[in-house]
Amino acid sequence: MSTPSRIDLHRHLDGNIRLRTILELAEKNGIVLPASDEESLRPFVTVTSPQPGLLEFLEKFRWSVGVLQTPDDCRRVAYENVADAHAEGLDYVELRFSPHFMGQTHCIPTPAVVEAVADGIAAARRDFDVPTELIGILSRTFGTEVCRRELDALLGFKQHLVAIDLAGDEAGFPARLFTDHFDCVRDAGLGVTIHAGEAAGPESIWDAIRLLGATRIGHGIRATEDARLIDFLGENRIGIECCPTS
């Protein structure tokens, strides 16, 4: 019997930064962290207990991206994500990132973030035998205009991407606000995977499919509230990127 493949289709590279790297970048960039060693820092940047909601969960990212001050910092994080996937024995990984979110603390230009991440992934592909693809995220939390600029930057490097995602405050910024964005995504020939059905109900998943053209859904845990939706997902082979033990 052949060994099953180990894959990760939903890994946020901007939320998957080594503790040691956070400490080293903070020291290099003169940033004060709430802790000075890995174990003391861990509770601030990892989820160790249930969170009251999605936005509280996302707050865990704040210290991680807050140490990114230059494009080289972003390049390092991207490279290390692939190195870590190799160390974990993954056979295939898709890494996703929000360039505006990564660059906002220290005003790194969004196109520079995209270029640095793409370069880091390309270098790591050469050094590690892990098939890796890259997904760009539009951070809906920052509004439609920021997402438009984010999309423009990502499409400038579309040859390095396989898909575009929409993530963030799902309840506050519903799919209908982003139909024009994803018309452009599909016109560019990129796949569409949307975070939906977590901070909002199954209707959010329907909208992600019908309005944005999603062929995969991030998290999607509230799909179970709508039996018709479950049947539709199965019949149309629309995957749910969900951790069953979370």
Side-chain angles (χ1 to χ4, degrees), residues 42-153:
R42 190 180 303 277
F44 292 96
V45 298
T46 62
V47 175
T48 56
S49 61
Q51 302 296 299
L54 177 64
L55 296 183
E56 289 82 4
F57 176 89
L58 293 175
E59 182 68 14
K60 294 288 187 177
F61 286 64
R62 181 167 65 92
W63 291 110
S64 299
V65 298
V67 300
L68 303 175
Q69 196 170 86
T70 69
D72 278 342
D73 296 342
C74 300
R75 185 178 292 105
R76 172 180 175 175
V77 166
Y79 183 93
E80 289 179 351
N81 262 263
V82 181
D84 291 344
H86 176 264
E88 293 166 27
L90 292 180
D91 299 299
Y92 175 78
V93 62
E94 290 181 359
L95 298 170
R96 63 189 68 200
F97 74 111
S98 165
H100 176 79
F101 184 56
M102 289 180 72
Q104 65 167 337
T105 305
H106 298 287
C107 300
I108 311 171
T110 303
V113 176
V114 179
E115 182 176 20
V117 168
D119 186 61
I121 296 296
R125 280 201 197 103
R126 293 191 292 268
D127 293 344
F128 302 100
D129 187 23
V130 183
T132 305
E133 298 293 355
L134 193 58
I135 296 173
I137 293 176
L138 308 186
S139 290
R140 67 209 309 172
T141 307
F142 301 107
T144 57
E145 289 305 313
V146 168
C147 285
R148 170 57 64 181
R149 294 194 293 272
E150 199 165 31
L151 177 59
D152 289 344

Side-chain angles (χ1 to χ4, degrees), residues 126-216:
R126 293 191 292 268
D127 293 344
F128 302 100
D129 187 23
V130 183
T132 305
E133 298 293 355
L134 193 58
I135 296 173
I137 293 176
L138 308 186
S139 290
R140 67 209 309 172
T141 307
F142 301 107
T144 57
E145 289 305 313
V146 168
C147 285
R148 170 57 64 181
R149 294 194 293 272
E150 199 165 31
L151 177 59
D152 289 344
L154 289 164
L155 292 182
F157 295 88
K158 69 177 184 178
Q159 70 274 22
H160 299 284
L161 305 173
V162 293
I164 298 291
D165 186 7
L166 182 66
D169 183 3
E170 173 193 0
F173 295 88
R176 59 180 170 76
L177 300 176
F178 300 94
T179 54
D180 289 346
H181 300 67
F182 280 88
D183 286 345
C184 294
V185 170
R186 296 193 306 278
D187 287 346
L190 293 173
V192 177
T193 174
I194 304 293
H195 280 69
E198 185 174 34
E203 71 283 354
S204 177
I205 300 175
W206 283 116
D207 285 349
I209 297 166
R210 291 169 170 167
L211 300 181
L212 305 184
T215 58
R216 283 187 358 208

